[in-house]
Amino acid sequence: SSSSSSSSTATALVALRCAFRAELSVGETLVVVGSTPLLGEWKAEDGFKLSWTEGNVWKGNLPVEREEFEFKLVVEKTSGETYWEKGENRKINKTIEANTVEVKSTFGTNEDMEVSFMDGVASPTVQSNVVDFAREEEKKKEENVVAKAEMKKPTKSTKKKKAAAAAKKTTTGAYRTVEKVKYDNFALLKFDELMEKNSMISMEEFKAIYPEDVKMKAVEKRTVEFLLKGGGGKFSYALNEEAKGYAQLLL
């Protein structure tokens, strides 16, 4: 059954809590890329993006398999280019019995990595709280921009109209490029139709487009993340809470 399958998956996964210090340029993101499927199998585009916090510490809480694994930190530029930290691979060289593994270190410095194992409730469906990096001296300006955007946040009715108008102008190719990022256009066209008919996308509607057994590649993962954040550019989407939960399970 699906419930027993979910329980088995949860047992096989543990939470990896990351905290890595890295001074990056504006717009760059720190990504964890490693040897297991959930860490992208050494493919930078499928790695896990961390979130910038004060002090230039990049944090994230992500699921990993309960086994030995290796990983590296990768910097992703706004252009899509990447560069990897030098030195040997970082390693968790023991089978993980605890529910949570905490790692702390500095980008490019493997020797100082602190690894802690602890018990506790670990969620196998953690989504990265990805943020656009900004220098600390620009922080106040950034917060003002966000505050103004929230005040002008479109209503469900406005989102519906925007999605409908955008769908009419969208091409029927395999990919849709929004702000220089490629997404799964075939799926987005179906979501556009749903937004034109309704003001909210349900879990059942989401499952019909991305079923539970779908093999998620990098472009599909980006598309799901795009939908979760409400779209971008001229495309707007709204998911109900059940649809959001299901979408997070696919990542």
Side-chain angles (χ1 to χ4, degrees):
S1 68
S2 60
S3 61
S4 62
S5 174
S6 298
S7 176
S8 174
T9 301
T11 303
L13 298 177
V14 298
L16 177 64
R17 294 179 182 170
C18 301
F20 296 106
R21 192 173 188 282
E23 296 187 16
L24 309 183
S25 300
V26 175
E28 294 180 337
T29 303
L30 197 64
V31 185
V32 179
V33 184
S35 57
T36 70
L38 288 173
L39 293 178
E41 295 183 317
W42 299 117
K43 297 177 183 175
E45 65 271 19
D46 291 338
F48 193 93
K49 294 182 178 180
L50 301 177
S51 303
W52 179 85
T53 64
E54 288 189 16
N56 291 319
V57 178
W58 293 79
K59 295 183 178 181
N61 186 14
L62 56 145
V64 293
E65 292 81 358
R66 192 182 290 273
E67 60 186 43
E68 298 180 13
F69 63 91
E70 299 182 9
F71 68 98
K72 272 186 175 292
L73 301 177
V74 180
V75 175
E76 182 182 281
K77 299 184 178 182
T78 51
S79 62
E81 295 179 84
T82 58
Y83 65 89
W84 298 59
E85 65 177 345
K86 297 180 180 179
E88 296 183 357
N89 296 341
R90 298 176 183 269
K91 299 179 181 179
I92 303 296
N93 52 8
K94 61 178 287 186
T95 300
I96 304 169
E97 297 180 357
N99 284 333
T100 303
V101 183
E102 187 175 82
V103 290
K104 298 179 180 179
S105 186
T106 303
F107 177 78
T109 308
N110 296 9
E111 296 79 9
D112 71 345
M113 189 169 79
E114 299 177 18
V115 181
S116 304
F117 298 91
M118 60 194 75
D119 290 322
V121 179
S123 170
T125 57
V126 186
Q127 185 192 13
S128 176
N129 179 26
V130 180
V131 295
D132 293 327
F133 172 67
R135 292 188 187 280
E136 291 197 52
E137 59 266 28
E138 297 176 356
K139 185 177 178 181
K140 289 185 179 179
K141 182 179 178 181
E142 182 87 10
E143 289 176 344
N144 288 336
V145 171
V146 173
K148 289 179 181 178
E150 284 296 316
M151 291 176 65
K152 297 179 180 179
K153 193 172 181 180
T155 62
K156 293 179 181 179
S157 162
T158 305
K159 282 187 176 182
K160 181 178 176 181
K161 291 178 181 178
K162 284 186 176 180
K168 292 178 182 178
K169 298 179 182 179
T170 305
T171 61
T172 56
Y175 300 107
R176 179 184 302 181
T177 301
V178 181
E179 297 175 343
K180 298 182 180 180
V181 179
K182 286 186 176 180
Y183 300 99
D184 178 3
N185 189 46
F186 293 147
L188 289 180
L189 284 171
K190 295 176 182 178
F191 285 112
D192 289 337
E193 291 178 1
L194 291 172
M195 287 299 297
E196 187 173 3
K197 295 177 182 177
N198 310 299
S199 59
M200 189 77 66
I201 296 169
S202 69
M203 182 177 70
E204 290 74 22
E205 292 169 333
F206 203 107
K207 274 188 176 182
I209 299 172
Y210 281 132
E212 293 182 51
D213 58 352
V214 65
K215 186 175 181 181
M216 300 295 290
K217 296 182 181 179
V219 67
E220 284 83 10
K221 288 182 180 179
R222 284 199 301 271
T223 303
V224 172
E225 290 175 343
F226 183 69
L227 292 163
L228 277 167
K229 72 176 185 179
K234 62 182 181 179
F235 303 97
S236 298
Y237 304 94
L239 312 181
N240 67 19
E241 291 303 313
E242 288 185 337
K244 287 179 181 178
Y246 175 75
Q248 290 173 354
L249 284 171
L250 295 176
L251 295 174

